[in-house]
Amino acid sequence: MMSLSLAAGVGDTTGHKNMLYLIRLRWIAVLGQITTIAGVSLGLDLNLPMPQMLTVLACLIAFNIGSHLRWHENPIVTNNEMLLALLVDVASLTAQLHFSGGTTNPFAFLYLLQVILSAVLLDAWAAWTIVGITGACLGGLAMFSKPLPVLLEDESAFAHLYVEGMLLCFLLNAGLLVILIKRITGNLRERDAHLADLRQRAAEEDHIVRMGLLASGAAHELGTPMATMSVLLGDWRRMPEFTGNATLLEEIEEMQTQLQRCKTIVTGILLSAGELRGESSAKTTLRSFLEEMLDEWRGNRPVIAFEYDDQLPGDQPVVFDSALKQTIFNLLDNALEASPLWVRLQASTEGDVLKLAVSDRGPGFAPSMLAQFGKPYQSSKGRPGSGLGLFLVVNVIRTLGGTVEARNLDKGALVELRLPLSAIALE
């Protein structure tokens, strides 16, 4: 449902951009009409009803100002609203042609501009509506308008003026169509690309849901055998065979420590199976969270050399949870696996964005992996099912409104996590 609403938003944005193009085209029409009326008044002996034509021009200007104000505040444009805008343009053109020669006016070919725009911008039924109305307007102009030669004091000049007007109308039609169609189709391609991206994201989110269900189910199933193992290890520690053997007791204690770690991991999976900012959330501060998280990570991994570069300008109250902590763990684990001898984490802020950069001195990412970074099962480990760690990292951070980027360094690789501080701020 979320993806469908986003797709609707993309369509609305495209319609809004196209409506703005129509408003600009209408200003060009206004400028053209002013230029034509002025040229006719000064250079040609045409008896045109100037008051009526200027009234139509004033109405068109008023409509365009109203359109600009409306669509500046309201970004959602429906098919019916686009149809109404084109009908106003058709009505304005029809009125001006009626007062200036009807179908004998070469600018009657401007109807084609409206028809082509309707075919690109409107639904099929609305486009055919424009075709029918423009055809009816042409028929009405042919029947009820005075022909242009009658309006000329010298009717012999009509043929010459008609050819010149037709050439000018052709150039105007062709130029406007090339510019508008290129921009409109560009908007449509951008919309289609965005919709494809949304569909891909929906598929990835569905993949995450299925993985979460599988993980939570496995966590529930593991709970019983781990509880049994915990009881058995407790019994062993009290048995005479073990109490007198320090080596065995030490091994049992290590087994209990590792079992407790497994329980913690399983608990984290179950807590993260719900909402991202759910009951597993904890109030802390940014610097405290990072330091405690890194202490836990280093205590449970065979880390040889780890650098933590704290460039945070200050500390602030935040809310973190197990899912986000596990996300950062995944980044560090991947870096440690690629570079067992050295891993580095840099924490900083850029405006209202938290930046966490994890770098290593491993072999880096293959070009194909960088091109598909964050997609499931993209891994250089060569094991079935691998490549899910970075996939989960990207999607958890994206859910919080952040981004994850990867690039290769001269030696090693760097993965940068950018997260809006508003997403983790303590409300």
Side-chain angles (χ1 to χ4, degrees), residues 23 26-34 37 53-69 88-89 92 96:
I23 292 173
R26 201 170 293 121
W27 284 125
I28 294 174
V30 167
L31 181 61
Q33 290 181 31
I34 293 174
I37 292 174
M53 297 184 72
L54 292 176
T55 299
V56 174
L57 182 59
C59 292
L60 186 61
I61 292 174
F63 177 80
N64 215 32
I65 292 174
S67 297
H68 179 77
L69 294 175
V88 169
D89 293 332
S92 172
Q96 296 291 39

Coordinates of all heavy atoms in Angstrom, one line a residue, residues 23 26-34 37 53-69 88-89 92 96:
I23 N 1.1 26.2 -18.7 CA 1.0 27.6 -18.3 C 2.1 28.5 -19.1 O 1.8 29.6 -19.6 CB 1.2 27.7 -16.8 CG1 0.0 27.1 -16.1 CG2 1.3 29.2 -16.4 CD1 0.1 27.0 -14.6
R26 N 0.9 28.9 -22.6 CA -0.2 29.9 -22.6 C 0.4 31.3 -22.6 O -0.1 32.2 -23.3 CB -1.1 29.7 -21.5 CG -2.5 30.3 -21.8 CD -3.5 29.8 -20.7 NE -3.8 28.4 -20.8 CZ -3.6 27.5 -19.8 NH1 -3.1 28.0 -18.7 NH2 -3.9 26.3 -20.0
W27 N 1.5 31.6 -21.8 CA 2.1 32.9 -21.9 C 2.7 33.2 -23.2 O 2.7 34.3 -23.7 CB 3.2 33.0 -20.8 CG 2.7 33.1 -19.4 CD1 2.9 32.4 -18.3 CD2 1.7 34.1 -18.9 NE1 2.3 32.8 -17.2 CE2 1.5 33.9 -17.5 CE3 1.1 35.2 -19.5 CZ2 0.7 34.7 -16.7 CZ3 0.2 36.0 -18.7 CH2 0.0 35.7 -17.4
I28 N 3.3 32.1 -23.9 CA 3.8 32.3 -25.2 C 2.6 32.7 -26.2 O 2.8 33.6 -27.1 CB 4.5 31.1 -25.7 CG1 5.8 30.8 -24.9 CG2 4.9 31.1 -27.2 CD1 6.5 29.5 -25.2
A29 N 1.5 32.0 -26.0 CA 0.3 32.3 -26.8 C -0.2 33.8 -26.6 O -0.5 34.5 -27.6 CB -0.8 31.4 -26.5
V30 N -0.1 34.2 -25.4 CA -0.5 35.6 -25.0 C 0.4 36.6 -25.7 O 0.0 37.5 -26.4 CB -0.5 35.8 -23.5 CG1 -0.6 37.3 -23.2 CG2 -1.7 35.1 -22.9
L31 N 1.7 36.3 -25.6 CA 2.7 37.2 -26.3 C 2.5 37.2 -27.8 O 2.6 38.2 -28.4 CB 4.1 36.7 -25.9 CG 5.3 37.5 -26.5 CD1 5.2 39.0 -26.0 CD2 6.6 36.9 -26.1
G32 N 2.2 36.0 -28.4 CA 2.0 35.9 -29.8 C 0.8 36.7 -30.2 O 0.8 37.3 -31.3
Q33 N -0.3 36.6 -29.5 CA -1.5 37.3 -29.8 C -1.3 38.8 -29.7 O -1.8 39.6 -30.6 CB -2.7 36.9 -28.9 CG -3.1 35.4 -29.2 CD -4.3 35.0 -28.3 OE1 -5.1 35.9 -27.9 NE2 -4.4 33.7 -27.9
I34 N -0.6 39.3 -28.7 CA -0.3 40.7 -28.6 C 0.5 41.2 -29.8 O 0.2 42.2 -30.4 CB 0.4 41.0 -27.2 CG1 -0.6 40.7 -26.1 CG2 0.9 42.4 -27.2 CD1 0.1 40.8 -24.7
I37 N -1.8 41.1 -33.0 CA -2.8 42.2 -33.0 C -2.1 43.5 -33.3 O -2.6 44.3 -34.1 CB -3.6 42.2 -31.7 CG1 -4.5 40.9 -31.6 CG2 -4.5 43.4 -31.6 CD1 -5.2 40.7 -30.3
M53 N -11.4 41.1 -29.5 CA -10.2 40.3 -29.4 C -9.4 40.6 -28.2 O -8.8 39.7 -27.6 CB -9.4 40.5 -30.7 CG -10.1 40.1 -32.0 SD -9.1 40.3 -33.5 CE -7.9 38.9 -33.2
L54 N -9.4 41.9 -27.8 CA -8.6 42.2 -26.6 C -9.3 41.7 -25.3 O -8.7 41.4 -24.3 CB -8.5 43.8 -26.5 CG -7.6 44.4 -27.6 CD1 -7.6 45.9 -27.4 CD2 -6.1 43.9 -27.4
T55 N -10.7 41.6 -25.4 CA -11.4 41.0 -24.3 C -11.0 39.6 -24.1 O -10.8 39.1 -23.0 CB -12.9 41.2 -24.5 OG1 -13.2 42.6 -24.6 CG2 -13.7 40.6 -23.3
V56 N -11.0 38.8 -25.2 CA -10.6 37.4 -25.2 C -9.2 37.3 -24.6 O -8.9 36.4 -23.8 CB -10.7 36.8 -26.6 CG1 -10.1 35.4 -26.5 CG2 -12.1 36.8 -27.0
L57 N -8.3 38.2 -25.1 CA -6.9 38.2 -24.6 C -6.8 38.4 -23.1 O -6.1 37.8 -22.4 CB -6.1 39.2 -25.4 CG -4.6 39.3 -25.0 CD1 -3.9 37.9 -25.3 CD2 -3.9 40.4 -25.9
A58 N -7.6 39.4 -22.6 CA -7.6 39.7 -21.2 C -8.1 38.5 -20.4 O -7.6 38.2 -19.3 CB -8.5 40.9 -20.9
C59 N -9.2 37.8 -20.9 CA -9.7 36.7 -20.2 C -8.6 35.5 -20.1 O -8.5 34.9 -19.1 CB -10.9 36.1 -20.9 SG -12.4 37.2 -20.7
L60 N -7.9 35.4 -21.2 CA -6.8 34.3 -21.2 C -5.7 34.7 -20.2 O -5.2 33.8 -19.5 CB -6.3 34.2 -22.6 CG -5.3 33.1 -22.8 CD1 -5.9 31.7 -22.6 CD2 -4.7 33.1 -24.3
I61 N -5.4 36.0 -20.1 CA -4.3 36.4 -19.2 C -4.8 36.1 -17.8 O -4.1 35.6 -16.9 CB -4.0 37.9 -19.4 CG1 -3.3 38.0 -20.7 CG2 -3.1 38.4 -18.3 CD1 -3.0 39.5 -21.1
A62 N -6.1 36.5 -17.5 CA -6.6 36.3 -16.1 C -6.7 34.8 -15.8 O -6.3 34.4 -14.6 CB -8.0 36.9 -16.1
F63 N -7.1 34.0 -16.7 CA -7.1 32.5 -16.5 C -5.7 32.0 -16.2 O -5.5 31.1 -15.3 CB -7.7 31.8 -17.7 CG -7.7 30.3 -17.5 CD1 -8.7 29.7 -16.7 CD2 -6.8 29.5 -18.1 CE1 -8.7 28.3 -16.6 CE2 -6.8 28.1 -18.0 CZ -7.7 27.5 -17.2
N64 N -4.7 32.5 -16.9 CA -3.4 32.0 -16.7 C -2.8 32.4 -15.4 O -2.1 31.6 -14.7 CB -2.4 32.4 -17.9 CG -1.4 31.4 -18.2 OD1 -1.7 30.2 -18.1 ND2 -0.2 31.8 -18.6
I65 N -3.1 33.6 -15.0 CA -2.6 34.1 -13.7 C -3.3 33.2 -12.6 O -2.6 32.8 -11.6 CB -3.0 35.6 -13.5 CG1 -2.1 36.4 -14.4 CG2 -2.7 36.0 -12.0 CD1 -2.5 37.9 -14.4
G66 N -4.6 32.9 -12.7 CA -5.3 32.1 -11.8 C -4.7 30.7 -11.7 O -4.5 30.1 -10.7
S67 N -4.3 30.2 -12.9 CA -3.7 28.8 -13.0 C -2.4 28.8 -12.3 O -2.1 27.8 -11.6 CB -3.6 28.4 -14.5 OG -4.8 28.3 -15.1
H68 N -1.6 29.8 -12.5 CA -0.3 29.9 -11.9 C -0.4 29.9 -10.4 O 0.3 29.2 -9.7 CB 0.5 31.1 -12.4 CG 1.8 31.3 -11.7 ND1 2.9 30.5 -12.2 CD2 2.3 32.0 -10.7 CE1 3.9 30.8 -11.4 NE2 3.6 31.8 -10.5
L69 N -1.4 30.7 -9.8 CA -1.6 30.7 -8.4 C -2.1 29.4 -7.9 O -1.6 29.0 -6.8 CB -2.5 31.9 -8.1 CG -2.1 33.3 -8.4 CD1 -3.2 34.3 -8.1 CD2 -0.8 33.6 -7.5
V88 N -9.9 25.3 -22.3 CA -9.8 26.8 -22.2 C -8.9 27.3 -23.4 O -9.3 28.3 -24.0 CB -9.3 27.3 -20.8 CG1 -8.9 28.8 -20.9 CG2 -10.3 27.0 -19.8
D89 N -7.8 26.6 -23.6 CA -7.0 27.1 -24.7 C -7.7 26.9 -26.1 O -7.6 27.8 -26.9 CB -5.7 26.2 -24.8 CG -4.8 26.5 -23.5 OD1 -4.9 27.6 -23.0 OD2 -4.1 25.6 -23.1
S92 N -10.3 29.8 -26.3 CA -9.6 31.1 -26.6 C -9.2 31.2 -28.1 O -9.4 32.2 -28.7 CB -8.4 31.2 -25.7 OG -7.6 32.4 -26.0
Q96 N -10.7 33.8 -30.9 CA -9.8 34.7 -31.7 C -9.9 34.5 -33.2 O -9.9 35.4 -34.0 CB -8.3 34.6 -31.3 CG -8.1 35.0 -29.8 CD -8.2 36.5 -29.6 OE1 -9.1 37.2 -30.2 NE2 -7.3 37.1 -28.8

